[in-house]
Amino acid sequence: MRSTLVRRSVLTASAVSLALLVTACGSDKAAKDESKDGGATSAAPSAPAADPAAKAKTAAELKGLLVTQADLAEYKLKEAGATEVSEAVAANATTKTECLPLGAVMSGSTPGKPAAGAATKVSSVPKAPAADASPEEKLKAITDALKVTVTMVGLGSYDGNGAQEAFAAVKAAGTACAAGYPGAKEADTGKVTKIAPGAAVTGGDEAVSFVVERELDGDKAPTQLVVVRKGNTLASFYAIAPAGEAAQPVAIVGAQVKKLG
């Protein structure tokens, strides 16, 4: 495997380390309901009118609404630490202002100025090698671990019309930045080369999805970005496979939207 493929993990915080961690798990169930089909963005046909007096949820309330291991038994969850989040923010920075909302989602947060936020990482679980596996089978298990999809999940709650405005900013960025955009530090991070509509997503009051193609040392890595709004709360999802093609995290999106009510 070429080292440039492994280096794609800088596009999310510690994606490779999480992938290697889950090889110790015994489950052989991957994210079988994830989708790689193309499609158009989706939004509810008649989203409720914004409430300018709406009050944001607290950080504690958002943490209680964030998906947990009990919600996604076939996956591995790990809380995103402050250092990890800050590294992800740096890795997804850009000098193109109109594209910043996308960078926020790729960092495991939500765009704009949420009053509170919460985040976690969710990984599909690769099949662990059998106890009597051959060296070749064990090596394959490690290689497969680098191909799992790691999804950064973020929740952000806003006062007034903030959630509607932040959601609109993400949709606008998907259009304005369709031809791609540079990172803040070209030597350290991969640039975005293309943004296209992703597979349709339903749920919440509004939803939008994109396939974000990134490039590092000449290698292109398709990643998946989804944002769902429910009332004055945004749920963001950014999926990447450290050494492969990420699938849209359908089950993860569904579980999180369900918890938002």
Side-chain angles (χ1 to χ4, degrees):
M1 180 185 306
R2 290 178 295 172
S3 61
T4 53
L5 291 177
V6 177
R7 286 184 57 206
R8 288 174 180 166
S9 59
V10 303
L11 304 180
T12 59
S14 302
V16 170
S17 62
L18 178 59
L20 290 173
L21 173 65
V22 299
T23 59
C25 300
S27 173
D28 63 355
K29 296 180 180 179
K32 58 186 177 182
D33 54 355
E34 291 178 340
S35 169
K36 295 183 180 181
D37 295 333
T41 58
S42 171
S46 56
D51 179 4
K55 294 296 182 182
K57 293 178 176 62
T58 65
E61 288 173 325
L62 284 182
K63 188 172 183 180
L65 291 172
L66 195 62
V67 286
T68 66
Q69 189 67 67
D71 302 310
L72 294 165
E74 295 183 354
Y75 294 78
K76 179 72 175 180
L77 275 71
K78 180 182 179 183
E79 185 176 354
T83 300
E84 205 163 31
V85 172
S86 64
E87 289 176 351
V89 169
N92 291 292
T94 177
T95 55
K96 196 169 181 179
T97 305
E98 58 267 40
C99 305
L100 288 174
L102 299 174
V105 175
M106 294 177 197
S107 302
S109 59
T110 57
K113 297 181 178 180
T120 191
K121 294 190 304 182
V122 184
S123 175
S124 55
V125 180
K127 182 178 180 179
D132 59 349
S134 66
E136 291 78 12
E137 290 171 330
K138 292 179 180 179
L139 179 60
K140 183 178 184 301
I142 294 175
T143 301
D144 289 344
L146 292 175
K147 296 179 182 179
V148 301
T149 297
V150 179
T151 302
M152 297 291 289
V153 181
L155 294 182
S157 192
Y158 302 73
D159 288 318
N161 300 332
Q164 288 85 348
E165 293 169 355
F167 181 85
V170 172
K171 289 188 69 175
T175 300
C177 308
Y181 59 88
K185 297 179 181 180
E186 281 294 327
D188 298 327
T189 62
K191 64 181 179 180
V192 171
T193 54
K194 180 182 178 182
I195 297 176
V201 174
T202 58
D205 299 324
E206 299 179 278
V208 66
S209 69
F210 298 107
V211 177
V212 180
E213 183 180 86
R214 308 194 71 165
E215 182 178 305
L216 185 63
D217 294 341
D219 289 307
K220 294 181 178 179
T223 63
Q224 300 278 343
L225 184 153
V226 176
V227 175
V228 179
R229 181 181 70 82
K230 178 65 177 179
N232 63 339
T233 298
L234 287 189
S236 68
F237 309 85
Y238 183 57
I240 178 173
E245 181 177 347
Q248 190 185 88
V250 177
I252 299 169
V253 173
Q256 182 58 78
V257 172
K258 182 180 180 180
K259 292 200 75 170
L260 292 179

